[in-house]
Amino acid sequence: MTNLPSTICSIRWMVWDTYKQAMSSYLLWLMLGLTFLSVILCLSISIHFVQDTSYHPFALPLYLPAQEDSEEVRAEGIRVVSGEISIGFGLLRFPVGRSRTDAVHWFQVWLAGLVADTVGILLTLLWTSAFIPQFLEPHSISVLLAKPNPRWSLLVGKYLGVVIFVGIQAAFFVCSTWLALGVQTGIWDARYWLAVPLLILNFSVFYAFSVMLAVSSRGVVVPLFGTLLFWIMCWGMNWARHHLVSTDISGLTPVTYLLVETGYWLMPKPLDFSGLFYEFMDASSVAAPVPEWESARQKGCINAELSVFSSLTFGIVALFLAVLEFYRKDY
């Protein structure tokens, strides 16, 4: 019978060892560099408004040029572009409407959705793909297996160490950019912090798949490219399903529809995670969502709770299969 305190200590030690490994790797400098550039970008923002007027909260998501402003237009709830936001110390300029809060809100949506949720997640998955293969090298794993600890605690501890490291870096990214935007613009939108748990959940699911590939192959190439291709496949399946349910499906066979639905519910859903952040941020007033996701949402074909639950279930199953393969392998 496994000694529970010993197992907990083993997991805790593996988490700490993995965290130190990540801190001493290029991954730390990559993530810090991305955060630093994003903070500089936030500090380079300036917002200029002809007028800073609050509109009705149910204003239509439409824009008109400032020269078309009139009492009739405002009565219809249409937003008029009355200012601009400049990025890169005036290098890029974009027209924005409504208020200063609207402008900052727009930038936060793109910063979290594009930089962190897409570029950040993919780069992190690529750079962490070598952690498990290095851990499984004979000179490393043989020493750990000689100790009276269950194998699953070693692999789970390694996995948790990477997830915790990425979670801390995600929180640091959001905190730094939130502070930089607040100092520069005076707008402190706390909803931006909702990006942290969604980023951690999204990464943890795909990293579990990466761990499964690493244990099965014992190499770096398979988890490196396999996880990237799998993310693309999941995004494509996620998009295809929403496109399917948002259009006329009368011409499809029941088998095709069943296959798409099955693939959607079995695989992780990166597009849905982005959509959840879009909803939590109430971003409809500042940015347009992916049309297929929005159409499926309006038709009631997206269940946020089940989407997150099924994605996490996939991650748990992938990690469980990795543990089974780790037990079966001889080292």
Side-chain angles (χ1 to χ4, degrees):
M1 184 175 179
T2 304
N3 187 294
L4 184 58
S6 176
T7 302
I8 294 175
C9 288
S10 175
I11 294 176
R12 186 174 59 185
W13 184 87
M14 287 302 301
V15 167
W16 176 241
D17 183 70
T18 305
Y19 186 84
K20 290 193 298 181
Q21 178 188 0
M23 289 288 289
S24 61
S25 69
Y26 289 110
L27 175 62
L28 173 65
W29 300 108
L30 175 70
M31 299 185 77
L32 288 179
L34 183 63
T35 301
F36 177 76
L37 291 176
S38 299
V39 169
I40 295 298
L41 191 63
C42 293
L43 293 175
S44 72
I45 288 178
S46 60
I47 302 172
H48 309 280
F49 270 86
V50 175
Q51 54 188 355
D52 198 358
T53 306
S54 297
Y55 283 70
H56 192 276
F58 298 109
L60 297 176
L62 300 174
Y63 288 96
L64 283 178
Q67 59 267 26
E68 297 187 28
D69 187 14
S70 68
E71 293 184 3
E72 291 78 8
V73 167
R74 297 190 182 191
E76 293 294 329
I78 299 176
R79 293 176 293 169
V80 177
V81 177
S82 57
E84 67 176 11
I85 178 173
S86 65
I87 302 175
F89 302 102
L91 183 63
L92 300 174
R93 296 177 179 271
F94 303 95
V96 291
R98 203 165 194 173
S99 65
R100 294 175 60 85
T101 302
D102 204 31
V104 175
H105 194 190
W106 170 84
F107 187 74
Q108 287 178 332
V109 169
W110 284 103
L111 192 64
L114 180 63
V115 177
D117 189 47
T118 302
V119 177
I121 290 292
L122 290 179
L123 286 177
T124 306
L125 286 171
L126 293 177
W127 279 92
T128 55
S129 61
F131 278 39
I132 297 298
Q134 292 173 359
F135 163 69
L136 297 177
E137 290 179 356
H139 66 275
S140 299
I141 194 62
S142 58
V143 176
L144 294 173
L145 293 180
K147 299 179 180 181
N149 294 313
R151 284 193 175 193
W152 70 265
S153 66
L154 301 177
L155 192 62
V156 170
K158 198 75 177 175
Y159 167 81
L160 290 177
V162 173
V163 172
I164 290 173
F165 172 80
V166 172
I168 292 174
Q169 295 303 314
F172 180 67
F173 174 88
V174 171
C175 179
S176 300
T177 51
W178 181 72
L179 287 173
L181 279 173
V183 169
Q184 186 68 12
T185 66
I187 304 299
W188 306 88
D189 192 345
R191 292 174 298 179
Y192 183 51
W193 281 90
L194 293 171
V196 176
L198 290 175
L199 288 171
I200 296 173
L201 289 175
N202 199 6
F203 173 80
S204 63
V205 170
F206 284 98
Y207 188 63
F209 181 78
S210 177
V211 171
M212 184 181 69
L213 292 182
V215 174
S216 301
S217 65
R218 300 193 196 184
V220 177
V221 176
V222 173
L224 178 66
F225 292 101
T227 306
L228 177 60
L229 291 175
F230 183 66
W231 185 91
I232 295 173
M233 287 175 55
C234 289
W235 204 98
M237 174 59 74
N238 204 169
W239 178 90
R241 187 266 182 179
H242 294 336
H243 176 74
L244 184 66
V245 299
S246 62
T247 56
D248 183 14
I249 61 174
S250 58
L252 293 176
T253 64
V255 174
T256 302
Y257 181 76
L258 178 62
L259 289 176
V260 173
E261 278 291 308
T262 301
Y264 168 74
W265 287 109
L266 289 180
M267 298 170 70
K269 303 161 188 62
L271 177 57
D272 282 3
F273 276 104
S274 299
L276 279 175
F277 178 72
Y278 183 90
E279 279 195 293
F280 290 157
M281 284 288 290
D282 189 23
S284 59
S285 62
V286 294
V290 175
E292 290 73 16
W293 177 86
E294 178 63 15
S295 298
R297 185 185 68 84
Q298 291 181 357
K299 289 187 175 184
C301 297
I302 296 179
N303 188 309
E305 292 79 8
L306 283 179
S307 179
V308 172
F309 177 77
S310 60
S311 297
L312 290 178
T313 300
F314 176 90
I316 293 172
V317 171
L319 188 61
F320 178 74
L321 293 176
V323 170
L324 288 182
E325 184 69 13
F326 189 43
Y327 266 104
R328 196 172 61 85
K329 293 276 189 180
D330 292 327
Y331 294 94

